[in-house]
Each structure stands twice: as C-alpha cells, then as structure tokens.
Amino acid sequence: MDAPYARLEQLESGIARLLAHNPSAFTYYGTQSYLVGEREVAVVDPGPDLPEHLDALTAAIGGRRVVAIMCTHTHRDHSPAAAPLAERTGAPIVGCGPLALETVGPRADASFDGDYAPDRVLADGEAIEVDAMPVTAVATPGHTSNHLCFAYGDALFTGDHVMGWSTTVIFPPDGDMADYMASLDKLRRRSDRVYYPAHGPAVTNPAQYVRHLVGHRMQREKQILSLVSEQPRTIPEIVAGAYPGLDPRLVTAAGGSVLAHLLDLERRGLVGQEGEQWTAA
Ligand SMILES: [Zn+2]
C-alpha cells in the first residue's frame, strides 16, 4: 500500500491528519498526527522526532497560530516531536502528564519518552480552546497510566486507547487491564460520532467498536482462566495456547497483555502465582 507519508489529509472541517514515517509491528503504517482547527490549530500527537515529519507538520500549520501541542501519552512514537515543534512554533505543550517509571521492563524502557516536559497538564474534563471551540481531555488510563483522549465536537482523538487496526497493548507495570476496561466503559457511556486513533483508520461506528473490544478482552480473559484451570502454566505457555500462529515480533507484547490479565484476575482472587507458574485460585 502507498501510505500517505507527509501528505496532509483533510478529514472533515477542522480536522486534518498527517502520517509519520515510523511503520512497525506496533505502529501499523506509523503515527498519525492530527491538526485541529481552522484559523488556529492544535496538534494532537505530534509523533516521533523525525525531521521529515516536523517539516510536514510545519508546512501544514502554515502561518496559523498553534494554540497547543497535545500528547495523548508519552510512548516514543507519540510525544518526542512535541519539544522541537514547540521550539519551531512557540506553542505550549499541553495534555498528558509526564511519566516516570520506577520499574521498567525491557519494552517499557525502550518505549517511554522520558524527556517529555509539558507546560500544562490537563485533568479529566479540562479543555483548551481552538477557534473558540473546546478540545477536552478525557482521562483514559490503561494502555498507559497517563493516557488521555481528546474530544472536539463529536469527534474523539483516541491515541492508543482505541486503535483502528489492532487491539491495544497493555503492558504492566504501567499498563493496567482493569483501568483499560474501565476506560473502555467510559467511552461506551459517551456518544461520539467518530474516533480518530493514532494508528489505523478512523472508527466510524464507535459504540459497536467499543462493544467488540470489550467482548474481545472478556473472551481472552476466559481463555486464560481456562488454560490455567487445566494445569499450572507459565506466561510463555499461556501465550502459545492463547495466540496460535502469533507473529514472533508480537510475542513479548502478547506476554505483557497476558500478564496484565493475570494481575487483574489475581486482584479479583481468581488466579494465583507459584514461582513462574500461574494457577486457578
Ligand atoms: Zn502507546
């Protein structure tokens, strides 16, 4: 497929999309930055710090005032371009809080942007204004503890909380399955018309899509419970049983999501751990 790298796509009035060239097994074709507004503009998820992407963002902004550079969370494919874009435009960095992890796993270590320094952190329900229209933070922890979605009219920028191409990786210790499920429930109680995720196509049937995501996780949980009920198993054994034919590049991530399920089940008293093995309680 000819992905639209560095080509601004006007999706609707006040919302345009720009794809960064950072394709991977976790990012699909890459990170999608959004330009929100008409006379003024806010940039949602500026993306990775790639000169070509920064140049494309700068060209798309044109002469307009940048009200804010907004990050949904601080994974390295989302926030590193915030600082250089702030330098180019003079705009403040507004949105999710910084994240300092006390314990970092192998993936977490590589994937968090420790240099992210916001000028203003938005709490749940707080907003900034673009062209006198609010862009409102919707706290959605789970994928990361600092994850925010941003609502603009009846559109919701969902970052990595809900993606258009794949299910979201929940990687402990920062990723938390119970938080993620509660954050899906929070979206279920909203009435957004469309989701614009950081990866993958727009979601034009949000209510149905969120129901599907919740069902998928509940199915996965049931499967994990059933595997450890048969006999005590390690996480790699559960991954092999629950994800047949998995792309080898995704095994670590699947192990993270399985661990996230197990920790949630353990808190609910449904599983226990003996050494490396997990058992039904
Ligand atoms: Zn992420």
Side-chain angles (χ1 to χ4, degrees), residues 22 26-27 31 45-49 71-81 96-97 99 101 107-114 116 142-147 159-161 163 168-171 174-175 199:
N22 60 331
F26 295 101
T27 60
T31 304
D45 277 340
D49 184 2
C71 298
T72 58
H73 65 301
T74 46
H75 276 151
R76 295 201 61 83
D77 55 323
H78 289 256
S79 55
C96 73
L99 193 58
L101 289 186
R107 180 177 175 273
D109 195 19
S111 70
F112 278 92
D113 171 15
Y116 171 75
H143 173 63
T144 61
S145 58
N146 64 349
H147 196 289
D160 283 2
H161 177 49
M163 302 196 291
T168 291
V169 173
I170 311 295
F171 211 102
D174 188 58
H199 310 280

Side-chain angles (χ1 to χ4, degrees), residues 72-222:
T72 58
H73 65 301
T74 46
H75 276 151
R76 295 201 61 83
D77 55 323
H78 289 256
S79 55
L85 189 61
E87 210 163 283
R88 287 188 186 199
T89 61
I93 299 170
V94 178
C96 73
L99 193 58
L101 289 186
E102 286 169 17
T103 49
V104 286
R107 180 177 175 273
D109 195 19
S111 70
F112 278 92
D113 171 15
D115 298 327
Y116 171 75
D119 297 294
R120 182 180 166 201
V121 174
L122 294 182
D124 185 42
E126 286 188 333
I128 58 135
E129 287 200 344
V130 182
D131 298 333
M133 254 193 69
V135 180
T136 307
V138 180
T140 44
H143 173 63
T144 61
S145 58
N146 64 349
H147 196 289
L148 300 178
C149 294
F150 297 115
Y152 176 71
D154 56 4
L156 188 71
F157 300 97
T158 53
D160 283 2
H161 177 49
V162 171
M163 302 196 291
W165 73 292
S166 160
T167 54
T168 291
V169 173
I170 311 295
F171 211 102
D174 188 58
D176 186 293
M177 191 60 72
D179 286 351
Y180 169 72
M181 294 299 279
S183 293
L184 282 183
D185 198 53
K186 186 172 191 171
L187 294 203
R188 209 178 44 76
R189 285 178 274 114
R190 297 174 53 87
S191 49
D192 302 297
R193 168 182 54 87
V194 61
Y195 292 166
Y196 291 118
H199 310 280
V203 174
T204 53
N205 55 345
Q208 191 186 342
Y209 195 76
V210 168
R211 261 201 313 277
H212 159 78
L213 291 178
V214 170
H216 169 78
R217 296 291 172 166
M218 287 170 71
Q219 194 60 37
R220 184 69 79 205
E221 177 186 283
K222 226 167 90 180

